[in-house]
Amino acid sequence: MAEFKIFCNNTADLSEEKVKEFDLNVMELVINIADKSYRHIPVDTFYQALRAGALPTTSAANIGEGIEAFEPALQAGYDVLCLAFSSALSTTYNALCMAAEELGEKYPDRKLYVIDTVAASSGEAILVLKAAEMRQEGASIQAVRDWVEENKRNVVHWFSVDDLNHLKRGGRVSATTAAVGGVLQIKPILHVDNDGRLVKADKVRGRTKSLAYLAEKVEKTIVNPEAQVVYIPHGDCEEEANWLKDQILSKVKVKDVVVQHLGPVIAAHTGVGLVAVIYMGAER
């Protein structure tokens, strides 16, 4: 059985420690701020720019970058499993599939699988880390691929945003909704659907109520909580994220709750103030 390498995108928001611990290969989507492009930008630097009024954009991976990333592993005799950012949120997955198809013709004896995680941020991380743990335990690339495909839509993402203007800029809400929401303190509750799209699920008046809503969702829909790590990615609002952590721990006995910054690639589109909760549930 050939050994295999695991690839993912930096949208998974994995720490450097986890990347090293599990020998992961991270493919970087580009962040554009003003006239500069970054593959790596410190989180503090990014959020300072965001709070100062920067309007960052991002660039998806392309076929050439996919080939450049995958080919050295194939040349070295490894198979490749790539868990890509949701295809509904980026063209990255499609580009990596085309790269895999091209490389498949050149390396017919190697296995090269690209999976659409239909997930974002820590939702991707949950799948990537499980894949890495399975690999450590000796699972084959096919077994890991099959587990991810069978379980990826059980990764649940719920989130609330404090400021609707970034969502307005990205076309997620209308200008009227953003204006009225700001005056009335309406906080939309969004989630990632089975196709990996961001969709509006509800709306709540007031920040505290919106965070309490997220805690209630965890309580009602989490499965096997004592074995689970629950993730709370946030858009530079750690105090509110920690408040949500306390609410979850008061309601559900979980293995751990990890509070961390939402990475720059996704935060470029959601802005400051997002608080999300991501975990495994019975369904999205």
Side-chain angles (χ1 to χ4, degrees):
M1 180 176 66
E3 294 183 22
F4 63 99
K5 295 288 187 180
I6 296 175
F7 288 75
C8 63
N9 298 123
N10 57 343
T11 48
D13 296 342
L14 288 162
S15 67
E16 291 183 10
E17 291 76 16
K18 289 295 184 184
V19 170
K20 291 178 181 177
E21 177 185 353
F22 289 104
D23 188 25
L24 301 170
N25 300 271
V26 180
M27 303 175 66
E28 308 283 352
L29 276 65
V30 174
I31 302 152
N32 309 297
I33 302 177
D35 58 349
K36 294 184 179 180
S37 296
Y38 304 87
R39 290 190 182 275
H40 305 278
I41 182 171
V43 168
D44 290 347
T45 301
F46 171 79
Y47 279 105
Q48 285 172 7
L50 210 57
R51 288 187 179 277
L55 298 174
T57 61
T58 59
S59 301
N62 58 46
I63 299 172
E65 290 170 333
I67 292 172
E68 184 179 350
F70 298 150
E71 190 162 24
L74 300 171
Q75 286 177 335
Y78 292 99
D79 293 331
V80 168
L81 178 67
C82 176
L83 279 63
F85 184 33
S86 172
S87 65
L89 301 176
S90 172
T91 59
T92 294
Y93 167 73
N94 292 328
L96 297 181
C97 284
M98 287 187 279
E101 184 177 353
E102 185 171 329
L103 288 169
E105 297 175 0
K106 190 174 180 180
Y107 300 92
D109 295 330
R110 298 267 61 85
K111 297 180 180 68
L112 175 49
Y113 303 126
V114 180
I115 297 176
D116 179 2
T117 62
V118 293
S121 185
S122 303
E124 292 173 75
I126 287 172
L127 297 172
V128 172
L129 294 176
K130 177 63 176 180
E133 289 169 359
M134 291 179 69
R135 180 179 62 176
Q136 281 187 341
E137 294 165 359
S140 69
I141 189 171
Q142 293 95 334
V144 176
R145 175 199 63 184
D146 291 348
W147 185 93
V148 174
E149 289 286 9
E150 290 167 7
N151 290 275
K152 64 187 184 182
R153 289 183 173 84
N154 295 109
V155 178
V156 180
H157 313 61
W158 287 98
F159 61 99
S160 174
V161 292
D162 193 37
D163 182 353
L164 296 175
N165 286 315
H166 263 79
L167 290 175
K168 179 193 72 174
R169 185 166 67 92
R172 300 295 175 187
V173 299
S174 69
T176 300
T177 297
V180 173
V183 172
L184 299 179
Q185 285 295 296
I186 299 297
K187 308 301 179 185
I189 305 294
L190 301 98
H191 77 115
V192 177
D193 70 8
N194 280 335
D195 294 323
R197 297 173 300 183
L198 301 183
V199 294
K200 191 160 62 175
D202 209 339
K203 56 186 178 181
V204 179
R205 180 172 290 184
R207 181 65 157 172
T208 300
K209 287 184 178 179
S210 73
L211 299 178
Y213 184 109
L214 302 184
E216 290 171 7
K217 279 294 183 183
V218 177
E219 181 182 20
K220 292 176 181 177
T221 63
I222 194 170
V223 295
N224 196 20
E226 293 186 6
Q228 276 213 55
V229 176
V230 174
Y231 291 86
I232 303 178
H234 64 89
D236 203 33
C237 47
E238 188 170 7
E239 183 176 340
E240 290 161 309
N242 281 321
W243 185 90
L244 175 57
K245 174 181 178 177
D246 291 341
Q247 290 296 303
I248 292 170
L249 290 174
S250 73
K251 295 174 181 292
V252 188
K253 186 176 181 180
V254 297
K255 182 178 179 180
D256 195 12
V257 177
V258 174
V259 173
Q260 62 186 34
H261 272 92
L262 184 68
V265 174
I266 297 177
H269 300 279
T270 57
V272 171
L274 175 142
V275 178
V277 62
I278 302 176
Y279 56 96
M280 295 290 285
E283 61 183 6
R284 291 187 174 182

